[in-house]
Amino acid sequence: MKIATYNINGIKARLPRLKEWLVETRPTVACLQEIKSQDEGFPASEFEEIGYSAIWHGQKSFNGVAILTDNEACPDGPQEIQRGLGIAGPGDSTEEQARYLEADVNGVRIVCIYLPNGNPLPGPKFDYKIAWMEKLRGRMGQIWAEEVPCAVVGDYNVIPEDDDVWATKAMASDALMQPESRAAYGRLLADGWTDAVRSLNPRGGLWTYWDYQRGAWQRDHGFRIDHLLLSPELADRLDSVGVDREHRGREKASDHAPVCCHLAD
DNA sequence: ATGACTAATAGCATTAGA
């Protein structure tokens, strides 16, 4: 079973690249973030054409998550369990942002997340990020208690360690590597979840995001914020991980690269 | 100290991202 996470930065703008990536790499499950599409605009038929079923949780302009499954490997498709964590957005809005989607796929619980960025800080957006992370931790605790094999994957918007960024100085004041952000991420690992990429690359130096600006891609100025967290049963089955770096360098690419892990059957 | 680049939406600029 191959599980992938990919922040696509707009499903309309990315559709040709996204389909190309699915056809070339055929993940069993693909979790997408930042679809930036309303529910009625989601191009489900485009994915059906290449043998993928999908569920999605969108909103206008921003955020939005989706889970795609390979029809051949997953004849039942993704079976939705829950959407949203029940946490209001920052400021006066009581409306929840589309950042969480949970489904069962072939007996494995798949959680697709788009964690709030948190900039600028300090402020309501950073507070929202930290609150969202605690809400996520609560839900992960519930799933843990169910003892169902589970992968919580997505754009965490957290640079976990100093060797997960090309230059710590460049990002020091960013919400992505504040002590509070790292501590909240660290609590998930302390709870027993395994960071799949880190576990097989303990020396760091692997990036999943490169800014569109300042020639960051050409200079390899990136960092690691897209993560795959595995419950113990899945961590025991972990064979390999990978970042599809090459797809970041293509024409009209997302600023994130796909990240995937392979689990033994 | 600031902006850079990209996408979405509503326009002919703004917001958000990270």
Side-chain angles (χ1 to χ4, degrees):
Chain A
M1 182 180 203
K2 181 176 173 180
I3 303 172
T5 178
Y6 192 3
N7 181 320
I8 55 172
N9 188 17
I11 200 159
K12 292 186 194 81
R14 211 67 57 216
L15 198 54
R17 283 286 97 94
L18 177 58
K19 289 174 73 178
E20 187 177 271
W21 168 71
L22 287 165
V23 168
E24 287 178 23
T25 68
R26 293 306 299 189
T28 317
V29 185
C31 293
L32 309 179
Q33 302 87 36
E34 282 207 271
I35 63 174
K36 297 184 177 179
S37 157
Q38 287 175 297
D39 283 343
E40 48 270 35
F42 188 86
S45 60
E46 298 271 353
F47 300 119
E48 280 297 341
E49 282 174 16
I50 55 170
Y52 277 89
S53 295
I55 58 172
W56 56 93
H57 178 30
Q59 69 178 87
K60 194 175 179 180
S61 302
F62 306 114
N63 311 317
V65 285
I67 299 173
L68 276 56
T69 57
D70 182 355
N71 288 337
E72 205 163 313
C74 317
D76 297 331
Q79 301 289 310
E80 183 168 330
I81 301 292
Q82 184 177 317
R83 57 179 58 206
L85 284 171
I87 179 166
D92 295 331
S93 171
T94 52
E95 200 176 333
E96 181 167 10
Q97 301 182 353
R99 298 180 175 276
Y100 182 96
L101 189 57
E102 177 182 333
D104 275 335
V105 179
N106 287 357
V108 174
R109 183 68 53 84
I110 300 292
V111 180
C112 176
I113 67 163
Y114 175 48
L115 210 145
N117 169 292
N119 285 306
L121 89 146
K125 290 194 172 184
F126 188 70
D127 296 341
Y128 174 61
K129 174 184 191 138
I130 300 303
W132 203 95
M133 292 185 83
E134 277 314 299
K135 197 83 178 179
L136 172 66
R137 186 183 179 215
R139 178 61 194 149
M140 286 169 74
Q142 290 174 344
I143 297 170
W144 184 280
E146 288 180 41
E147 297 184 339
V148 56
C150 179
V152 183
V153 311
D155 180 354
Y156 278 72
N157 269 319
V158 175
I159 297 168
E161 308 278 348
D162 284 352
D163 57 10
D164 290 314
V165 57
W166 67 279
T168 52
K169 205 173 170 182
M171 296 295 291
S173 59
D174 197 283
L176 275 54
M177 54 176 274
Q178 291 311 297
E180 296 94 323
S181 310
R182 287 181 164 182
Y185 185 77
R187 282 193 285 276
L188 303 178
L189 305 184
D191 287 342
W193 298 85
T194 294
D195 178 334
V197 170
R198 169 62 66 168
S199 72
L200 296 184
N201 297 274
R203 293 174 61 192
L206 216 61
W207 320 141
T208 68
Y209 172 90
W210 295 259
D211 203 302
Y212 285 129
Q213 303 181 68
R214 289 154 295 193
W217 168 248
Q218 289 77 10
R219 296 171 174 175
D220 198 26
H221 290 179
F223 41 86
R224 189 174 75 96
I225 52 174
D226 300 276
H227 307 306
L228 303 132
L229 263 53
L230 306 178
S231 68
E233 183 178 341
L234 295 189
D236 286 345
R237 290 166 51 190
L238 182 62
D239 270 343
S240 62
V241 296
V243 179
D244 293 337
R245 270 183 72 106
E246 189 262 318
H247 288 262
R248 174 62 182 83
R250 295 191 185 186
E251 200 72 31
K252 292 281 284 178
S254 170
D255 41 6
H256 295 249
V259 186
C260 61
C261 70
H262 187 267
L263 307 172
D265 291 330

